[in-house]
Amino acid sequence: MTGKIYLVGAGPGDPELLTLKAARLIAAAEVAVFDRLVADAVLDLLPPACLRIDVGKETGRHCVPQDEINAILVNLGLAGHRVVRLKGGDPFIFGRGGEEAEVLAAAGVAFEIVPGITAAAGCAAAAGIPLTHRGVAQGLRLLTGHRQDDGELDFDWHRLADPTCTLVVYMGVASAERLAGGLRGAGLSGETPVAIIERGTTPDQRTLFSSLADLAADMVRWQPKPPSLLIIGAVVNHALTPHMDHVGREAAQ
Ligand SMILES: C[S@@+](CC[C@H](N)C(=O)[O-])C[C@H]1O[C@@H](n2cnc3c(N)ncnc32)[C@H](O)[C@@H]1O
């Protein structure tokens, strides 16, 4: 019997943001292999008899090296198992889904990609920030603030410093100061608003509003916990939820 690996996007945290397909596969899973970012509220939907393999990742390093994760998936597939490979957000957005799919394809293991709501979409919605907005932002770029070699970020800052394009930075907390400096150095105003969303879509969500000029100091003061996401651009001024946290202030509800 041939197995199959489902690379499933588990969304940003709120289990109600799972697709119907993801929820169906999770509820019937025989084996689940999951990352650290997958919310407990999603793991709670796995059946009691499901074999759970935690390959949880931490910022900048992997608890289980990627090669081992690949081998686990290939071996399970070759052994005939149907596996739900759960990944936070969407498997193909900073999720190494492409790498795992390539390995499975090379090994002749059947697989299917089930998309999920990526953190940019989930966090923006939960914070009431439109990622594009007519007359304000005509484009959106998803960036990672983490470099594989742990070196300094080396974006083409002049291409990024476009005031009509929203920037969403995944894994950007540690490099926030460098990001702000690079963007300001390339001409973006220090008043450009920034939102930092911590644990977006979960009951523990916090949102900080800052600006490129204040970002480094605000991050030190606020100490965002993982996972956190940065949204940079004029759309942040269009945040619609009135009850959110601001620096040094508790949310009203
Ligand atoms: C390795 S990337 C995985 C992204 C994931 N594949 C996706 O599509 O959302 C991890 C980063 O995503 C962001 N992230 C994921 N879930 C988040 C959440 N609920 N709230 C804030 N940021 C989140 C953070 O920047 C975190 O460091």
Side-chain angles (χ1 to χ4, degrees):
M1 191 178 89
T2 54
K4 184 164 178 180
I5 312 295
Y6 293 89
L7 295 169
V8 176
D14 178 353
E16 296 206 321
L17 294 178
L18 288 169
T19 63
L20 290 175
K21 189 166 193 172
R24 176 173 60 76
L25 290 166
I26 290 167
E30 174 202 345
V31 183
V33 179
F34 55 93
D35 288 341
R36 202 167 100 97
L37 263 187
V38 177
D40 288 344
V42 171
L43 297 177
D44 287 347
L45 302 176
L46 290 166
C50 174
L51 172 65
R52 296 159 185 243
I53 303 176
D54 182 354
V55 292
K57 295 176 177 179
E58 290 179 7
T59 313
R61 56 202 160 95
H62 300 166
C63 290
V64 178
Q66 187 63 45
D67 285 352
E68 269 180 51
I69 297 174
N70 296 344
I72 290 169
L73 295 176
V74 167
N75 289 337
L76 285 167
L78 292 177
H81 294 287
R82 285 166 67 88
V83 177
V84 172
R85 168 67 174 120
L86 282 172
K87 291 176 163 289
D90 181 88
F92 274 181
I93 298 180
F94 304 127
R96 296 194 166 209
E99 291 170 45
E100 292 178 12
E102 281 176 357
V103 169
L104 292 168
V109 175
F111 65 91
E112 185 176 331
I113 313 297
V114 180
I117 292 188
T118 190
C123 292
I129 299 168
L131 289 174
T132 64
H133 200 63
R134 196 149 56 100
V136 178
Q138 284 78 50
L140 168 68
R141 292 186 81 156
L142 306 183
L143 308 167
T144 172
H146 172 67
R147 279 189 41 149
Q148 208 166 0
D149 60 5
D150 287 330
E152 198 168 76
L153 288 185
D154 61 352
F155 290 122
D156 180 342
W157 297 107
H158 288 279
R159 288 186 64 185
L160 284 187
D162 172 358
T164 70
C165 184
T166 305
L167 302 177
V168 177
V169 188
Y170 292 67
M171 298 166 276
V173 168
S175 54
E177 185 171 1
R178 170 76 183 131
L179 272 165
L183 291 170
R184 291 184 71 192
L188 268 196
S189 162
E191 290 176 10
T192 304
V194 181
I196 303 102
I197 300 148
E198 176 189 286
R199 301 177 188 174
T201 81
T202 75
D204 301 323
Q205 175 172 323
R206 292 198 304 161
T207 305
L208 164 75
F209 290 101
S210 183
S211 65
L212 283 183
D214 295 338
L215 187 61
D218 282 346
M219 293 295 250
V220 170
R221 198 158 57 227
W222 205 58
Q223 296 285 320
K225 296 179 197 63
S228 291
L229 186 90
L230 277 65
I231 301 178
I232 303 171
V235 290
V236 172
N237 284 336
H238 292 261
L240 295 172
T241 43
H243 59 271
M244 288 182 297
D245 290 348
H246 291 256
V247 187
R249 260 199 274 159
E250 290 300 316
Q253 60 179 50

